[in-house]
Amino acid sequence: MEIKNGDVDKLDEILLDARKKKFNDKFNNEDSEEILFSSQETSKTENNQNDTTKKVLNGHAITKPLQIDRKLNKKKEIIKSMLNKVNQRNHIEVSGNQLRERMLNRLKAAQFRYLNEKLYTSSGGDAQSLFQSDPLAFQTYHEGYQQQVKKWPVNPLDVIVKKILEMPKTYLIADMGCGEGALRTRVPQRVRSFDLVSTSAAVEACDMAHTPLPAAAVDVAVYCLALMGTDLTQYLLEANRILKVGGHLLVAEVESRFEDPQTFAREVQRLGFRLRELDTQHQVFFFFHFNKVQQPPVKKSKLPNLTLKPCLYKKR
Ligand code: SAH
């Protein structure tokens, strides 16, 4: 079939429309890799056509003068610019994913900081209600906590594990505020693990001010970064109740929570303990080792009101 010059213009339009449609279809395709691939392939095809003045449409040969080629080249430029847009779009999609991930991480970090502040400023009962009403919050808290642990120069739990490894294997240990209960997996002694939420069968859910343990049952009570909230006196009264006389109270806390660790130690002693060792040699953390020497005072007015500053994490 012979095609005249005027018709060639029309054909160009048809060709361009067909290509536009093809790219629009690709725009709707969610698979960005495919967009990238198809645009490269199309460019290659176009390069191959650069030198030729012959085209085949529906099996018919079309012969075009050079002037028409110039028009065709202009159209090709338009198509190329469309392709560039596709590529730009593709690029934005990739960085969009990264942005989404960054935003999600920020959101998680913000949730962690929020929950952390709540735990440090609530009573054990309120903290328990918070996590019971939203068990996912506990998971979010512990993911954030594990991120923090990685940033510390020492994991305080390692220091406590080392101490317990030197103790008799027959000891019964209470891990108060155990988190996911890692201590139990790292020492040969029998460990009862307590936290507000139970993440496994080995962790018993309770407010550690009131554990299900009988009195004078355990040899060691561990509070590794667990003295959160406003009930510190209640927590350590419970430690006194569950410990045998002579039993060990091990406390690890962030040093910035203390005005003076000696003052804190003196107050704890008023609950029926005697300070055996205060280890301030580690960065970031203080480690206290007390022994239970007697029952706490019966009169409420004789009890100290233990407080520590909350350990709040900064926004990064
Ligand atoms: N001891 C663990 C976890 C420290 S995070 C470790 O060193 O890895 C502090 C934990 O104390 C949290 O899991 C928090 O839920 C728990 N906690 C805080 N207040 C509590 C309470 N009143 N009763 C039981 N657990 C408590």
Side-chain angles (χ1 to χ4, degrees):
M1 182 174 74
E2 264 297 313
I3 295 179
K4 292 178 201 136
N5 280 359
D7 291 333
V8 170
D9 265 341
K10 257 189 212 153
L11 271 172
D12 277 345
E13 293 300 332
I14 292 165
L15 270 172
L16 186 62
D17 279 352
R19 287 182 178 195
K20 268 188 199 164
K21 186 178 177 311
K22 190 175 168 196
F23 299 132
N24 283 340
D25 287 344
K26 292 293 181 190
F27 270 135
N28 295 333
N29 190 335
E30 295 288 77
D31 187 345
S32 37
E33 266 184 24
E34 195 177 326
I35 291 171
L36 197 68
F37 177 69
S38 75
S39 63
Q40 283 167 345
E41 192 183 55
T42 315
S43 308
K44 242 192 268 163
T45 319
E46 282 179 0
N47 286 341
N48 291 343
Q49 286 172 356
N50 265 352
D51 303 330
T52 180
T53 55
K54 272 195 171 177
K55 271 184 165 266
V56 175
L57 185 69
N58 293 337
H60 299 286
I62 309 161
T63 316
K64 292 181 285 169
L66 276 172
Q67 174 204 359
I68 293 162
D69 263 0
R70 247 180 269 130
K71 276 190 182 170
L72 190 63
N73 281 342
K74 208 170 164 198
K75 301 275 157 60
K76 279 181 189 166
E77 287 307 314
I78 296 170
I79 290 167
K80 261 189 196 157
S81 94
M82 284 169 63
L83 285 170
N84 279 343
K85 277 188 192 138
V86 173
N87 281 337
Q88 273 168 20
R89 219 183 138 104
N90 192 24
H91 178 73
I92 291 164
E93 268 179 55
V94 171
S95 35
N97 283 343
Q98 288 168 345
L99 187 69
R100 196 168 150 266
E101 202 165 300
R102 256 209 328 259
M103 296 306 281
L104 273 175
N105 284 341
R106 285 211 185 146
L107 191 63
K108 275 189 185 172
Q111 278 174 321
F112 167 71
R113 285 195 304 273
Y114 168 78
L115 291 169
N116 185 65
E117 190 169 339
K118 272 266 174 234
L119 286 174
Y120 275 111
T121 53
S122 311
S123 67
D126 286 349
Q128 194 175 23
S129 310
L130 171 80
F131 282 144
Q132 270 169 358
S133 66
D134 183 4
L136 259 183
F138 188 79
Q139 197 186 326
T140 306
Y141 179 77
H142 274 281
E143 278 171 15
Y145 180 79
Q146 290 310 325
Q147 292 302 319
Q148 291 300 322
V149 171
K150 283 185 207 150
K151 291 177 193 157
W152 292 331
V154 60
N155 180 352
L157 194 64
D158 292 347
V159 179
I160 288 193
V161 164
K162 198 167 167 233
K163 202 170 247 315
I164 293 176
L165 287 176
E166 288 161 8
M167 294 177 169
K169 287 194 177 62
T170 52
Y171 270 10
L172 176 62
I173 297 168
D175 186 7
M176 313 288 264
C178 65
E180 283 150 17
L183 176 64
R184 188 184 57 88
T185 64
R186 299 183 54 188
V187 296
Q189 291 90 345
R190 202 156 74 83
V191 179
R192 296 274 300 263
S193 311
F194 302 99
D195 207 298
L196 294 166
V197 172
S198 170
T199 49
S200 74
V203 176
E204 300 172 57
C206 69
D207 171 7
M208 64 187 171
H210 312 283
T211 66
L213 288 167
V218 305
D219 300 282
V220 187
V222 174
Y223 294 78
C224 183
L225 266 54
L227 289 182
M228 309 178 90
T230 53
D231 290 337
L232 305 194
T233 305
Q234 293 307 313
Y235 299 153
L236 295 189
L237 280 175
E238 179 67 356
N240 187 301
R241 187 187 71 81
I242 63 174
L243 275 168
K244 299 171 183 170
V245 174
H248 307 266
L249 167 64
L250 304 180
V251 175
E253 270 308 331
V254 180
E255 61 178 20
S256 60
R257 298 193 66 196
F258 299 85
E259 287 293 348
D260 171 22
Q262 295 289 352
T263 308
F264 176 78
R266 269 198 300 278
E267 303 250 279
V268 173
Q269 292 193 127
R270 288 174 56 201
L271 291 170
F273 298 98
R274 179 168 304 133
L275 182 69
R276 176 172 170 155
E277 186 192 353
L278 169 54
D279 180 356
T280 57
Q281 297 308 303
H282 296 270
Q283 286 177 50
V284 183
F285 305 103
F286 289 150
F287 295 87
F288 300 83
H289 184 168
F290 298 91
N291 287 112
K292 171 175 168 178
V293 286
Q294 61 190 21
Q295 303 287 324
V298 181
K299 271 194 180 172
K300 274 202 169 167
S301 59
K302 297 259 179 199
L303 293 175
N305 179 22
L306 284 179
T307 53
L308 289 174
K309 288 183 249 176
C311 169
L312 303 179
Y313 298 96
K314 283 194 198 108
K315 190 175 170 200
R316 285 174 198 273

